């Protein structure tokens, strides 16, 4: 029925077009729409709109749920990391078992990235009790941090560390008395390196007073006013984009 009505309407429009062009095309008769058919079609249209509205609500609910779970797990990860890196947390059991043999033998363990011209390297010297960093940037201020070709830190200057993973890559964030550095899995063996560095940190915790004194020397990066402005602009942009996505 609706197909026939549509066909007649198109024929009527075509006839009007031809008459405007000067042709003597007779206008076809337009039959009135059956009220029952019209009501049925209108009801089907309303039902489609209700289904679409329900689908949009479901999609918006799913998006909100995903965001909520994402922030929940981020918050849990943050609280876990905060507890592990707390200055008041005592040393874990077995602290020093990994780095102990290295110290006893007075040997050196090294992990490096040999695939780039300015290769990064981290060497743990068990004889001198120092960690040598080559071609790393120690972040101690908001801007102006420069790459250092060589930096040597005593074991006691290692304060806290955590591993994050992103898009199949692993990164080790290390806090020291000279600032924070990030060691990527470009250096190999990455797992052995991070285990040893974390063990050194746990060993430092066995002397709480000395450890807390070292923590007090950690540089605190102060965010200037323009840094907060950039952050606020980024958050506002994310909110606007999210709102438009949910509203579309």
């Amino acid at each position: 029925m609706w197909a026939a009505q549509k066909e007649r309407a198109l024929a009527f429009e075509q006839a009007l077009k031809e008459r405007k062009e000067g042709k003597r095309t007779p206008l076809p008769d337009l039959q009135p729409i059956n009220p029952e058919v019209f009501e049925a079609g209108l009801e089907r249209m309303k039902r489609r709109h209700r289904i679409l509205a329900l689908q949009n609500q479901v999609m918006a609910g799913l998006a909100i749920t995903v965001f909520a779970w994402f922030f929940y797990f981020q918050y849990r990860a943050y609280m876990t990391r905060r507890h592990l890196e707390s200055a008041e947390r005592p040393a874990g059991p077995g602290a020093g078992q990994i780095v102990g043999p290295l110290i006893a033998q007075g040997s050196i363990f090294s992990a490096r990235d040999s695939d780039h011209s300015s290769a990064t390297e981290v060497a743990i010297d068990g004889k001198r009790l120092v960690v040598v960093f080559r071609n790393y940037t120690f972040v101690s201020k908001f801007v102006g941090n420069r790459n250092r070709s060589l930096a040597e830190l005593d074991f006691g200057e290692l304060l806290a560390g955590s591993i994050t993973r992103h898009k199949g890559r692993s990164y080790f964030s290390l806090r020291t008395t000279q600032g924070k550095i990030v060691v990527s899995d470009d250096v190999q063996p990455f797992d052995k390196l991070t285990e040893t560095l974390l063990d050194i940190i746990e060993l430092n915790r066995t002397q709480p007073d000395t450890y807390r004194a070292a923590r007090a020397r950690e540089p605190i990066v102060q965010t200037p006013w323009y840094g907060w402005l950039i952050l606020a602009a980024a958050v506002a942009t994310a909110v606007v984009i999210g709102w438009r996505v949910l509203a579309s």
Side-chain angles (χ1 to χ4, degrees):
M1 183 67 182
W2 279 103
Q5 289 286 350
K6 183 177 180 180
E7 184 177 349
R8 284 193 291 269
L10 292 174
F12 187 85
E13 291 178 2
Q14 180 63 27
L16 285 177
K17 181 179 178 181
E18 292 178 357
R19 288 171 71 93
K20 289 180 180 179
E21 294 174 351
K23 299 179 181 180
R24 296 183 178 181
T25 305
L27 294 176
D29 295 332
L30 286 178
Q31 297 181 1
I33 299 176
N34 188 320
E36 295 181 359
V37 174
F38 178 78
E39 290 293 337
L42 187 62
E43 185 60 32
R44 286 196 296 269
M45 186 181 299
K46 289 180 179 179
R47 186 163 57 250
R48 284 197 299 268
H49 282 298
R50 287 196 296 268
I51 293 174
L52 288 175
L54 180 61
Q55 289 177 344
N56 290 335
Q57 291 176 0
V58 171
M59 293 301 296
L62 288 175
I64 293 173
T65 302
V66 170
F67 278 119
W69 275 106
F70 172 77
F71 285 113
Y72 169 72
F73 284 114
Q74 290 294 317
Y75 175 75
R76 286 196 59 181
Y78 166 76
M79 294 303 295
T80 300
R81 185 170 64 251
R82 182 176 178 180
H83 168 71
L84 291 175
E85 296 185 0
S86 172
E88 304 304 320
R89 181 178 66 82
Q97 289 184 353
I98 298 176
V99 73
L102 197 69
I103 297 174
Q105 298 167 12
S107 55
I108 298 176
F109 168 79
S110 177
R112 69 190 312 268
D113 168 23
S114 56
D115 294 335
H116 300 84
S117 56
S118 57
T120 54
E121 181 181 10
V122 181
I124 303 173
D125 190 333
K127 183 177 181 179
R128 296 192 297 139
L129 304 183
V130 299
V131 182
V132 181
F133 299 91
R134 289 186 172 85
N135 297 312
Y136 279 100
T137 299
F138 287 77
V139 178
S140 58
K141 50 188 176 181
F142 190 76
V143 293
N145 300 287
R146 296 183 178 181
N147 182 277
R148 297 168 63 174
S149 59
L150 177 66
E152 292 190 354
L153 277 67
D154 294 334
F155 281 4
E157 296 184 78
L158 306 187
L159 306 177
S162 59
I163 300 174
T164 57
R165 292 177 173 81
H166 180 65
K167 294 183 178 180
R169 298 289 307 280
S170 297
Y171 302 90
F172 182 63
S173 179
L174 177 64
R175 294 166 54 185
T176 76
T177 57
Q178 297 188 30
K180 180 186 291 185
I181 68 170
V182 176
V183 180
S184 72
D185 59 6
D186 289 330
V187 297
Q188 291 296 330
F190 178 80
D191 292 339
K192 180 63 175 179
L193 172 65
T194 55
E195 288 177 356
T196 307
L197 292 176
L198 288 173
D199 189 53
I200 292 174
I201 295 170
E202 290 303 304
L203 186 61
N204 291 338
R205 289 179 179 274
T206 59
Q207 301 179 20
D209 294 339
T210 303
Y211 176 72
R212 282 193 289 266
R215 287 285 293 258
R217 298 196 303 272
E218 181 182 11
I220 299 177
V221 179
Q222 300 289 346
T223 304
W225 65 269
Y226 56 84
W228 291 112
L229 183 61
I230 295 172
L231 178 61
V235 172
T237 302
V239 170
V240 170
I241 293 175
W243 177 261
R244 288 183 177 179
V245 170
L246 292 178
S248 62

